[in-house]
Amino acid sequence: MVMTMDSPGDTLSGVVNAWNDMMETENESLRDRVVDLEKKVLEQGDEIVCLRSTLADVLRRLNQFESRGAPSPAPTCLRNGNGTTIRGISHSNHIGTGKDSTPGNVPRLRQPAYHQQPVPTDAGPKDNLRRAASYAPSSLPQRRVVHYQSTGSLHSDSPSSTSVSPVPTSPSPTHTPPPPPGGRTTPSPRTPQPPSQRPNSVGSGSGSGSLHKRWSSTGDFNNSGITSPTGTLISASSMAIASRLATKSLFNLYMRPQPHQQHLLKHGTRDATYNEEEGSVRFFLRGRPVVLHAPTAVAENYDLMKVATAPQTRLKLEWVYGYRGRDCRSNLHLLPTGEMVYFVAAAVVLYNVEEQSQRHYLGHTDDVKCLAIHPNKLLVATGQTAGHDRREGRSWKFNPPPDRMAPEAEQWPHVRVWNSVSLHTMAVIGIGEFERSICCLSFSKADGGVLLCAVDEAPDHNISVWDWQRGEHGQKITETKCSADTVVAAEFHPMDRQSIVTCGKSHISFWTLDAGGTLYKRMGIFENRDKPKYVTCLAFTQTGDVVSGDSNGNIIVWGRGTNTISKFVRGLHEGSVFSICVLKEGSMVTGGGKDGRLVQLDASLSPTGQEARVPDHLGAVRAVAEGRGSQLLVGSTRNCILIGSLELGLTPVVLGHTDELWGLAIHPNLPQFLTAGHDRLVTLWDSMSHSVVWSKDIAEPVQSAAFSPDGSVLIIGCTSGHWMVMDAETREAFSAHTDGGEPIQVVKFSPDGNLLALGSRDNNIYVYQVSEEYRKYSRVGRCTPERRRRRSATYVMLLGHSSFITHLDWSMDSQYIQSNSGDYELLYWNAGLCRQIPQSSQLRDVEWASNSCTLSFNTIGIWPEGADGTDVNHCERSHDGNLMATADDFGKVKLYSYPVVQPKSLCHTYGGHSSHVTNVSFLHDDSRLISIGGRDTSVMQWSLS
């Protein structure tokens, strides 16, 4: 017997051939199974596809009808390869399927629908695998689908949007192309999405895969972009992504949705989170993450969801410094109680000079602009401007809410009538009726004050007359356009009930109110005399004649019941006549708005020779009122009030700032404080006597100020980057320095007095060595943004603030500084080295000498849930560490229990300021709190009880 053995090569070749035969058989079996499955899929999905196509066609026709007003062609039915009827497009919307098709022959359809192309009857099994064509056809030539098995996925060599959509049984994910910069995405058709089925991947020799297929196919819209329903052009880059998603590669089905280029920024403490391992709270301000580390003692038991209670201590408004005379008129009167009444910010002040006492009416929510006294001398009417949400204030007139007296409604311009003895509000008039603010008010006098006249600062300066006692909110009798030009005064005639006089830019008008409630106007006739640019003030003689002053310095008398001039006094003042006061004995006093003179005239308008003058540094005359005996009350254009007589002269009793206030410094040992602002005035106040210790004009707008630890030296930071060293008693300037060209936002001495830190708007903190009893300063360095390389040369870390400095605090040991910036950062610094400490968690247990940084762990709760990062302008901790006060952009002063570590911390809220409150601080003994307003120029002193 002869035995033969195959060589190893033959054996291996036989194994390989057998393996190939087995794999080919298996592949053929798989292909047959796939073809059978897809046939069943197409057969079962025909009906669903037809329904989807019909619905999409209806939506398309509806869209075309709404956009063009013309019906679209009726859809037709096409047949797929199995002979099943499918809803499709009409013959007019031809889709080119051959290689010779050109883009010009393909119409553009707005609304996608779903259909399948007709398949030749002699097509093979693979050719029967056709994908439903998009209703938005491609502008590129349509080509046959070619399948590749190399990657195991379904590819197409055509960029068209035609695709096979298997019968779905579960929801399929969809991809949304990113929006263009500044634009919005084009929404997909609102058609019901049927559930999708997971089909096997089709390809020779490929394994089966479970994939989700999206149904909302997109067309190829070229690189020129398309227009969304909002009219926004979608860029070509966005369309490139959309086109790529429309191809038939299964890779595209797994692509992650592109992020929107415009995100909704996370904001506020509502979604704050606490990391127990790190002991840190994380929240967002304008999309910027803020991470604050809790002190070790607090971190162990910290609960983010706790609600902190408000303190038992409360504030009471004790004194208001300032007066609004720079832009308001006729706002100073003497009451029978011996108090003079005037206003500043949102507070109406009743000040008894003899008793040195103040009372305050705080019913208003924003700037008070005008004031009128009732004939009984007991009631007062005051009108305010629109609140902080001025857009709602303007539109509410045409769309009033159901509850007219909702708390937010009082943010809109309105008039309040109140009792000057009890400070009780008698009526709130005109909510929803005024558009901007009330600039003029007057009670009727001949009938005992039944009517109230008001002028709105709307473009038409509407004048309205109210029966203010009827109903809770009064009843409007009439309203009409007063003048297209500015109106500065409106007064009821003291003897004629139906007569009203108004004046302003280039006009004086005489109004008559008839029995039917209609106002008739007659314009004043200036005849051949020079017509003034402004008629600035009004008064009435004892005989009922009207007296007016104008911008030419003239006094004109208008006969009672006429609109013609009966007497003319030329050039009584240099510049405007801002006020006329008719005295009880029949004489009158006029005040000049430029020359600052007070001139007395007798009943025949002849000068008596008695005059007085307001000092230049106190401004010109704004308002004149009769006081007790021969006294006069004079309000000035520099927000001061003077009392005196023409014979004995005038003495200031109220002083104030005239421009925006930012600087506030508390004396470390005495009950005194210093204020400074953009009016270039630095003023030292005594909180006990409510008087000015001294005031100095430093010739530069001031942004910040600070006392030295012993109170002997002042540091004044200016808006130009200059800062000066000044003696706190003599006002002598020791030295002047310059750091950068931006405002010095904040200045603070270290607790030991050896260092001075100045935070600038140029993003830097300047540190100085202090010597010679706080009179000499040498720069140590500056805490500035820098770049550091970490190990790898390609890794660069940017340190330091990238925005302006807003607040800073010293540690108790004078070693460290914490600082806030305009982009919501909290950074820590080694003061001696002027280097940042990046590991903020290392300083979590540092004790700070003050806490004026609004962004720190101990001040989390001062931020409302939806607050802007700029809403809280300043905060300050009391010296005993029990309280924290804040100043915000809504004219509010708030008082919290310290530390304020809970996002939901309750507080006491107090009004009085009208503009943004820029600074608050406790006196050295925590007996009082001082707050300063921004543009309302007011200084308010609050007692703690």
Side-chain angles (χ1 to χ4, degrees):
M1 178 183 292
V2 180
M3 299 182 62
T4 60
M5 296 184 60
D6 295 336
S7 65
D10 295 338
T11 303
L12 179 61
S13 176
V15 171
V16 171
N17 292 334
W19 177 263
N20 289 338
D21 292 338
M22 182 178 66
M23 289 301 299
E24 183 175 358
T25 304
E26 181 68 20
N27 288 342
E28 288 293 332
S29 175
L30 288 174
R31 282 199 301 271
D32 293 338
R33 290 177 59 190
V34 167
V35 171
D36 292 338
L37 285 174
E38 292 206 348
K39 285 182 179 180
K40 293 180 179 179
V41 164
L42 292 176
E43 291 172 359
Q44 296 174 2
D46 287 340
E47 184 176 357
I48 296 177
V49 172
C50 183
L51 292 175
R52 287 177 50 81
S53 300
T54 304
L55 179 58
D57 186 76
V58 171
L59 291 177
R60 176 185 62 81
R61 296 178 63 193
L62 179 61
N63 184 45
Q64 292 178 345
F65 180 79
E66 292 177 346
S67 60
R68 298 193 298 268
S72 59
T76 60
C77 290
L78 301 180
R79 296 181 178 272
N80 63 7
N82 298 322
T84 306
T85 301
I86 307 297
R87 295 285 294 180
I89 61 171
S90 66
H91 63 278
S92 60
N93 293 331
H94 174 71
I95 299 179
T97 58
K99 293 184 178 181
D100 296 332
S101 300
T102 60
N105 296 330
V106 182
R108 299 217 175 249
L109 304 179
R110 298 177 180 269
Q111 184 73 22
Y114 304 91
H115 66 279
Q116 290 186 347
Q117 296 179 353
V119 180
T121 57
D122 58 346
K126 292 184 180 181
D127 292 334
N128 288 334
L129 303 180
R130 292 287 186 262
R131 294 176 177 258
S134 168
Y135 205 162
S138 169
S139 59
L140 298 177
Q142 303 291 323
R143 291 184 285 181
R144 291 169 56 123
V145 177
V146 180
H147 302 301
Y148 298 90
Q149 71 179 53
S150 58
T151 61
S153 61
L154 186 62
H155 289 267
S156 170
D157 62 352
S158 169
S160 70
S161 61
T162 57
S163 60
V164 172
S165 296
V167 178
T169 58
S170 62
S172 59
T174 58
H175 295 285
T176 303
R184 298 175 57 188
T185 56
T186 304
S188 59
R190 294 176 179 251
T191 55
Q193 297 295 323
S196 63
Q197 177 181 327
R198 294 186 175 185
N200 294 330
S201 61
V202 180
S204 176
S206 62
S208 61
S210 177
L211 302 175
H212 286 288
K213 181 71 178 73
R214 64 187 183 91
W215 272 82
S216 54
S217 61
T218 54
D220 183 27
F221 293 95
N222 288 333
N223 292 329
S224 60
I226 61 172
T227 303
S228 69
T230 59
T232 306
L233 182 66
I234 299 180
S235 63
S237 61
S238 299
M239 289 315 304
I241 299 176
S243 177
R244 188 152 55 96
L245 292 175
T247 61
K248 289 177 284 294
S249 171
L250 296 183
F251 169 76
N252 291 334
L253 305 182
Y254 286 105
M255 285 185 62
R256 295 179 180 179
Q258 297 294 323
H260 291 279
Q261 297 179 11
Q262 290 184 344
H263 298 280
L264 294 177
L265 297 181
K266 292 184 178 180
H267 185 64
T269 59
R270 178 177 301 173
D271 300 324
T273 57
Y274 179 64
N275 188 319
E276 294 183 359
E277 295 181 0
E278 298 180 358
S280 63
V281 173
R282 177 186 175 93
F283 64 97
F284 291 84
L285 287 176
R286 292 296 179 193
R288 186 184 185 97
V290 179
V291 179
L292 304 174
H293 294 275
T296 303
V298 177
E300 296 178 357
N301 301 316
Y302 182 72
D303 183 1
L304 196 65
M305 302 308 295
K306 271 189 176 180
V307 177
T309 59
Q312 294 183 351
T313 304
R314 295 179 180 269
L315 299 180
K316 181 181 179 182
L317 185 58
E318 182 180 68
W319 204 266
V320 176
Y321 302 88
Y323 157 75
R324 184 163 184 168
R326 67 187 187 275
D327 59 352
C328 293
R329 307 161 188 268
S330 302
N331 59 351
L332 179 62
H333 300 273
L334 183 68
L335 298 176
T337 58
E339 299 167 311
M340 56 182 183
V341 57
Y342 57 92
F343 56 78
V344 60
V348 185
V349 183
L350 296 93
Y351 179 23
N352 191 314
V353 179
E354 295 180 357
E355 298 180 2
Q356 281 297 296
S357 64
Q358 278 189 359
R359 296 186 300 140
H360 312 95
Y361 177 74
L362 301 176
H364 288 282
T365 58
D366 212 284
D367 285 295
V368 181
K369 297 293 293 290
C370 57
L371 181 151
I373 305 298
H374 194 273
N376 64 12
K377 303 295 183 182
L378 177 66
L379 302 180
V380 179
T382 46
Q384 77 164 61
T385 185
H388 295 279
D389 196 349
R390 286 174 169 80
R391 289 184 299 175
E392 283 194 23
R394 289 195 295 268
S395 63
W396 191 86
K397 179 175 181 179
F398 307 102
N399 188 21
D403 183 7
R404 287 195 162 203
M405 288 310 297
E408 63 273 13
E410 297 189 8
Q411 292 289 331
W412 299 309
H414 61 273
V415 178
R416 288 177 172 265
V417 181
W418 47 278
N419 188 303
S420 63
V421 175
S422 65
L423 302 182
H424 174 68
T425 301
M426 308 294 293
V428 179
I429 299 170
I431 288 182
E433 300 291 342
F434 298 109
E435 190 170 346
R436 291 190 178 175
S437 65
I438 297 93
C439 60
C440 305
L441 280 175
S442 178
F443 282 103
S444 59
K445 301 172 180 62
D447 59 0
V450 174
L451 303 180
L452 180 67
C453 170
V455 177
D456 183 8
E457 279 189 321
D460 289 337
H461 294 88
N462 296 330
I463 181 173
S464 56
V465 179
W466 298 77
D467 184 347
W468 66 271
Q469 299 178 86
R470 180 168 296 183
E472 185 179 356
H473 309 302
Q475 179 180 350
K476 183 166 63 175
I477 296 175
T478 185
E479 180 180 16
T480 187
K481 175 179 176 180
C482 184
S483 171
D485 296 319
T486 304
V487 177
V488 300
E491 294 286 346
F492 267 101
H493 197 283
M495 300 176 184
D496 300 331
R497 180 184 183 275
Q498 293 80 17
S499 179
I500 303 173
V501 184
T502 62
C503 67
K505 183 177 180 181
S506 302
H507 77 275
I508 181 170
S509 302
F510 300 89
W511 300 82
T512 301
L513 179 65
D514 66 8
T518 304
L519 280 171
Y520 297 95
K521 178 173 67 173
R522 293 179 298 163
M523 300 297 294
I525 301 174
F526 288 91
E527 299 174 350
N528 295 328
R529 299 176 176 88
D530 294 335
K531 186 175 183 179
K533 186 174 182 179
Y534 275 89
V535 179
T536 52
C537 56
L538 295 172
F540 299 90
T541 67
Q542 293 182 339
T543 59
D545 293 336
V546 179
V547 183
S548 66
D550 60 40
S551 56
N552 294 332
N554 304 328
I555 298 294
I556 301 176
V557 179
W558 307 80
R560 178 178 176 181
T562 70
N563 61 338
T564 57
I565 298 173
S566 63
K567 194 162 189 178
F568 193 98
V569 180
R570 186 183 299 275
L572 186 63
H573 288 274
E574 179 186 353
S576 299
V577 181
F578 275 169
S579 182
I580 300 173
C581 177
V582 177
L583 305 179
K584 296 175 182 177
E585 71 272 11
S587 63
M588 65 181 65
V589 177
T590 61
K594 182 178 180 181
D595 56 18
R597 293 166 53 233
L598 293 168
V599 179
Q600 186 179 35
L601 304 175
D602 59 21
S604 62
L605 296 186
S606 300
T608 62
Q610 289 188 345
E611 293 187 7
R613 188 183 182 93
V614 177
D616 291 339
H617 69 279
L618 298 180
V621 178
R622 173 63 75 185
V624 180
E626 189 172 12
R628 287 186 174 179
S630 61
Q631 280 189 338
L632 293 175
L633 310 179
V634 180
S636 79
T637 56
R638 291 187 65 82
N639 294 347
C640 302
I641 297 177
L642 304 93
I643 294 181
S645 63
L646 299 178
E647 297 85 359
L648 301 177
L650 302 171
T651 302
V653 294
V654 175
L655 297 175
H657 287 274
T658 59
D659 207 343
E660 196 163 353
L661 286 177
W662 284 93
L664 175 64
I666 304 299
H667 197 286
N669 307 313
L670 301 175
Q672 297 177 349
F673 61 93
L674 180 137
T675 59
H678 293 179
D679 58 358
R680 306 178 300 181
L681 284 179
V682 178
T683 304
L684 182 66
W685 308 83
D686 185 88
S687 65
M688 303 303 292
S689 63
H690 312 124
S691 61
V692 174
V693 178
W694 55 258
S695 184
K696 182 176 181 178
D697 189 333
I698 66 169
E700 278 194 74
V702 180
Q703 189 72 22
S704 56
F707 277 97
S708 62
D710 64 355
S712 62
V713 172
L714 276 169
I715 304 297
I716 306 298
C718 302
T719 59
S720 61
H722 298 163
W723 58 278
M724 61 183 63
V725 185
M726 181 187 299
D727 190 287
E729 294 184 3
T730 65
R731 291 166 279 176
E732 175 189 357
F734 294 138
S735 60
H737 308 263
T738 302
D739 285 308
E742 299 289 332
I744 303 297
Q745 299 280 96
V746 55
V747 293
K748 277 193 178 180
F749 283 91
S750 61
D752 60 13
N754 293 327
L755 296 173
L756 173 71
L758 303 100
S760 173
R761 201 170 179 84
D762 66 2
N763 305 357
N764 298 317
I765 300 174
Y766 300 89
V767 181
Y768 280 79
Q769 182 73 39
V770 183
S771 59
E772 297 183 8
E773 297 181 345
Y774 308 106
R775 297 190 179 189
K776 184 177 180 180
Y777 296 83
S778 304
R779 185 195 279 189
V780 174
R782 64 176 181 174
C783 305
T784 185
E786 59 175 319
R787 295 178 182 271
R788 293 186 187 176
R789 297 189 179 276
R790 291 294 186 87
R791 297 182 181 178
S792 173
T794 60
Y795 177 44
V796 179
M797 182 171 63
L798 179 64
L799 299 178
H801 285 296
S802 56
S803 185
F804 56 90
I805 310 301
T806 57
H807 310 89
L808 62 84
D809 294 298
W810 283 93
S811 62
M812 286 296 293
D813 58 7
S814 302
Q815 297 297 312
Y816 305 106
I817 296 173
Q818 67 174 358
S819 57
N820 287 160
S821 61
D823 57 353
Y824 323 125
E825 278 186 326
L826 171 64
L827 300 184
Y828 299 92
W829 308 85
N830 185 313
L833 301 176
C834 295
R835 298 294 295 272
Q836 183 186 342
I837 303 173
Q839 296 79 20
S840 58
S841 60
Q842 297 179 358
L843 301 182
R844 67 198 315 159
D845 294 323
V846 170
E847 185 178 359
W848 300 97
S850 63
N851 194 341
S852 62
C853 285
T854 58
L855 196 59
S856 66
F857 183 82
N858 288 330
T859 59
I860 292 176
I862 70 175
W863 296 97
E865 289 186 345
D868 189 349
T870 61
D871 283 345
V872 181
N873 297 313
H874 194 82
C875 69
E876 195 65 58
R877 184 186 68 194
S878 62
H879 295 86
D880 62 11
N882 295 327
L883 300 171
M884 168 159 279
T886 65
D888 64 30
D889 266 359
F890 308 104
K892 303 300 182 184
V893 174
K894 295 181 179 179
L895 190 66
Y896 295 86
S897 295
Y898 186 84
V900 200
V901 297
Q902 302 299 144
K904 296 179 180 179
S905 294
L906 304 180
C907 66
H908 301 303
T909 304
Y910 302 93
H913 289 285
S914 57
S915 180
H916 45 281
V917 188
T918 56
N919 212 325
V920 290
S921 194
F922 293 89
L923 292 186
H924 74 289
D925 58 357
D926 290 336
S927 61
R928 292 171 176 84
L929 176 75
I930 307 299
S931 62
I932 58 175
R935 294 181 181 176
D936 66 26
T937 70
S938 65
V939 180
M940 297 191 181
Q941 178 176 310
W942 310 78
S943 62
L944 280 71
S945 59

